[in-house]
Amino acid sequence: MADDTIVRCLLCCFCALVIPTAVTIASEPTQICGAPNYDVRNLTARVWKFMVPSTFCLRTQNGSVPDDGCEIQMAFCRNLNESRNCSSASVCENYNVASEQFTYKLGSYVQQPFNVTGEVVGQGFHVSSGDGQNYTDSENKTCTLKTVMTFICNKSAIWEKGNSEGPTTVPINPNIMFDPATCLYNFTFHFAGACPLTSPSTPVHTLSPGSVLLLIFFVSLIVYFALGSLVNTARGKHGQEIIPHNKFWTSLPVYVADGCEYSLSCGRRQGGQKYESI
């Protein structure tokens, strides 16, 4: 009786903890990053870069601006993870001036940057990042850097992913606007993927940890039953004996039901019968 009580107590823990936890983890939403009805797979597959004229480059702390312009790097549905203050960023501005390298965080990473509504609806989409770092201009005015990108339909502007490990150069440099009063950058790109599809494009999916755990669990369960059945068949077993540890699996539903009943009745069966103490 004591052994049965131990089993029931363990099954009570299984009912009260494991099952609700599995349901909660499995219900975690899958992260989705994409633009419905647009093909952005090439856009999200790489880190991209382009050159900006010096007139649109930010000044350094000593007021210097590079004569040869600066480089913008951007990533979509991922962190750019550049060095210095550009970690956890989606848009950064990099350049060398006076033998020193400067990096400005123009926009922070957001999970879903795409917006298909607004003035370019049906012919493109917008991309907005989170706030960047604070910037102080030559007049000692400080504001927070922000970046908004507009992608308009151009079927000839194909963004090839390339084969290099580093950032890939965009095929056509964007139109650039910068508002020093609000520290807002506006980039307008031509992009073949901004032309609407006849059917929605496949967004970028990231499986939740709960989904991964459930996949591992069910795959392991299938492998366990398949290999166990093959081994038992090779040993000449028949019928239910082919199932590995068949006595355990046939008794498990009874123990689970009994354990849940034991838990709900606070250690007593219906009718007042009480189990022995462990």
Side-chain angles (χ1 to χ4, degrees):
M1 179 66 74
D3 292 339
D4 287 345
T5 305
I6 293 174
V7 173
R8 292 187 179 94
C9 289
L10 292 175
L11 289 174
C12 286
C13 295
F14 179 83
C15 293
L17 298 176
V18 177
I19 294 179
T21 302
V23 172
T24 302
I25 294 176
S27 63
E28 292 180 359
T30 300
Q31 296 181 359
I32 301 176
C33 180
N37 205 34
Y38 295 96
D39 189 352
V40 297
R41 288 172 293 182
N42 279 16
L43 195 65
T44 59
R46 301 289 298 176
V47 173
W48 298 92
K49 66 179 182 178
F50 60 91
M51 292 302 298
V52 174
S54 59
T55 53
F56 293 105
C57 294
L58 302 175
R59 296 178 179 272
T60 63
Q61 292 179 352
N62 60 11
S64 302
V65 176
D67 295 331
D68 56 352
C70 52
E71 180 185 86
I72 301 291
Q73 293 188 7
M74 55 187 183
F76 307 92
C77 302
R78 64 170 71 186
N79 285 317
L80 193 55
N81 287 330
E82 286 295 308
S83 59
R84 300 184 184 84
N85 57 350
C86 232
S87 59
S88 301
S90 61
V91 190
C92 283
E93 181 177 308
N94 307 295
Y95 52 84
N96 293 304
V97 59
S99 300
E100 294 185 71
Q101 184 178 6
F102 285 83
T103 301
Y104 283 106
K105 181 178 178 179
L106 303 185
S108 59
Y109 166 78
V110 292
Q111 180 179 319
Q112 173 54 280
F114 295 98
N115 180 11
V116 298
T117 62
E119 60 186 21
V120 292
V121 60
Q123 292 297 323
F125 51 85
H126 299 289
V127 176
S128 300
S129 60
D131 289 344
Q133 70 182 81
N134 291 334
Y135 170 69
T136 303
D137 62 15
S138 58
E139 299 179 356
N140 289 325
K141 294 180 180 180
T142 302
C143 55
T144 302
L145 294 169
K146 298 180 178 65
T147 303
V148 174
M149 305 179 193
T150 302
F151 290 82
I152 59 177
C153 175
N154 184 344
K155 294 185 178 180
S156 62
I158 300 174
W159 291 38
E160 298 289 351
K161 289 186 292 185
N163 298 319
S164 62
E165 292 296 328
T168 302
T169 303
V170 302
I172 303 175
N173 270 10
N175 295 326
I176 303 171
M177 293 182 63
F178 179 70
D179 184 358
T182 60
C183 285
L184 176 63
Y185 267 110
N186 276 283
F187 301 121
T188 302
F189 296 93
H190 290 265
F191 177 48
C195 301
L197 300 173
T198 54
S199 59
S201 62
T202 302
V204 178
H205 293 269
T206 303
L207 289 177
S208 65
S211 300
V212 174
L213 289 175
L214 288 178
L215 283 175
I216 294 174
F217 171 75
F218 284 112
V219 170
S220 301
L221 201 62
I222 292 172
V223 171
Y224 160 76
F225 279 111
L227 292 180
S229 298
L230 288 175
V231 170
N232 288 339
T233 302
R235 291 176 177 176
K237 295 184 178 181
H238 303 282
Q240 289 186 352
E241 293 181 349
I242 294 178
I243 301 174
H245 305 100
N246 65 90
K247 291 183 179 179
F248 168 77
W249 293 110
T250 53
S251 301
L252 182 61
V254 177
Y255 278 119
V256 170
D258 199 18
C260 291
E261 181 184 354
Y262 179 78
S263 177
L264 293 174
S265 63
C266 297
R268 297 175 178 272
R269 284 182 177 274
Q270 293 181 358
Q273 182 179 356
K274 186 176 181 181
Y275 287 101
E276 296 178 359
S277 300
I278 299 176

